[in-house]
């Protein structure tokens, strides 16, 4: 009788220890998910009237439904770059999204687990805006950084516009996209 009681207590302690370790590792992985930094580079074209002073929102992520949402990208402005050379023109925050300029923004949010393969922009306001390209670099894993997302057209207002290059399959009926579940994770 004592042996089975002792064995039961030993198994119970082992089970509690295992549950605690699982919870601790889940908590650590959740902390690690929220600690990634991204450099978002946005070019505004040189077309007349291409600049905007409106709020721009950004949504990007990977094929594993890790979705990063930035409501006001304007407030994350870091610096302006020379469009012809990778040289910083200033380190003083200035108004982003001016014609013929390349701006860089710093965003912090949940970590992606694979290469960034979709990106959407949303323009809120009355101005027009014509971005040229957007690229997202992941500081914690450069192999997860995105390719260039080319826009090169005026964005429609108040709707998400962009491209999704995540896992697709070409079928006789057209391109089939894998369904993505987008969460409300803010950066």
């Amino acid at each position: 009788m004592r042996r089975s009681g002792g064995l039961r207590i030993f198994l119970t302690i082992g089970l509690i220890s295992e549950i605690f370790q699982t919870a601790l590792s889940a908590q650590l992985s959740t902390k690690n998910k929220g600690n990634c930094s991204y450099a978002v580079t946005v070019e505004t074209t040189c077309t007349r009237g291409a600049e905007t002073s409106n709020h721009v929102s950004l949504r990007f992520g990977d094929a594993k439904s890790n979705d990063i949402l930035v409501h006001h990208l304007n407030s994350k402005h870091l610096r302006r770059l020379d469009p012809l050379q990778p040289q910083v023109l200033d380190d003083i925050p200035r108004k982003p999204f001016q014609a013929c300029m390349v701006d860089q923004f710093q965003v912090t949010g949940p970590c992606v687990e694979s290469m960034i393969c979709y990106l959407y922009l949303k323009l809120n306001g009355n101005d027009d805006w014509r971005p040229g390209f957007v690229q997202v670099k992941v500081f914690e894993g450069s192999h997860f950084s995105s390719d260039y997302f080319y826009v090169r057209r005026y964005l429609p207002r108040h709707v998400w516009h962009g491209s999704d290059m995540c896992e697709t399959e070409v079928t006789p009926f057209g391109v089939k996209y894998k369904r993505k579940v987008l969460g409300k994770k803010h950066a």
Side-chain angles (χ1 to χ4, degrees):
M1 217 25 137
R2 285 185 173 240
R3 281 190 173 170
S4 67
L7 182 61
R8 192 175 309 151
I9 291 173
F10 179 73
L11 290 175
T12 304
I13 291 172
L15 183 62
I16 290 172
S17 175
E18 187 176 321
I19 291 170
F20 178 73
Q21 285 177 345
T22 304
L24 183 62
S25 66
Q27 185 180 16
L28 287 174
S29 69
T30 303
K31 277 187 179 180
N32 289 341
K33 278 192 167 195
N35 289 340
C36 286
S37 297
Y38 303 95
V40 180
T41 305
V42 180
E43 177 209 34
T44 299
T45 62
C46 295
T47 307
R48 184 178 171 160
E51 69 277 342
T52 187
S53 59
N54 291 336
H55 287 290
V56 173
S57 297
L58 172 72
R59 169 173 253 154
F60 63 92
D62 62 8
K64 297 182 180 184
S65 295
N66 291 301
D67 185 52
I68 293 89
L69 175 63
V70 183
H71 281 292
H72 296 288
L73 185 61
N74 311 48
S75 66
K76 312 287 186 185
H77 191 243
L78 187 61
R79 58 190 171 192
R80 184 177 292 176
L81 305 174
D82 186 339
L84 300 177
Q85 300 174 4
Q87 179 180 357
V88 177
L89 292 178
D90 61 54
D91 286 329
I92 301 168
R94 300 200 190 265
K95 189 175 172 184
F97 310 125
Q98 297 299 306
C100 295
M101 295 307 298
V102 177
D103 295 294
Q104 194 170 56
F105 305 86
Q106 186 167 352
V107 175
T108 304
C111 293
V112 293
E113 298 172 25
S114 63
M115 186 174 169
I116 294 170
C117 58
Y118 69 88
L119 184 135
Y120 295 97
L121 295 165
K122 184 163 129 181
L123 181 64
N124 292 315
N126 297 322
D127 291 350
D128 289 328
W129 180 46
R130 187 174 177 171
F133 69 81
V134 181
Q135 183 186 31
V136 180
K137 292 186 180 180
V138 183
F139 289 126
E140 286 78 12
S142 61
H143 56 287
F144 291 152
S145 296
S146 75
D147 290 330
Y148 286 96
F149 290 94
Y150 293 99
V151 182
R152 295 186 180 141
R153 63 173 289 210
Y154 286 101
L155 287 185
R157 294 184 198 109
H158 308 290
V159 295
W160 289 105
H161 179 78
S163 56
D164 184 339
M165 297 183 289
C166 296
E167 301 170 25
T168 58
E169 178 185 346
V170 179
T171 68
F173 304 104
V175 177
K176 180 180 176 182
Y177 293 94
K178 201 171 197 178
R179 186 165 184 255
K180 222 185 305 334
V181 179
L182 300 177
K184 292 197 174 217
K185 299 174 188 173
H186 301 285

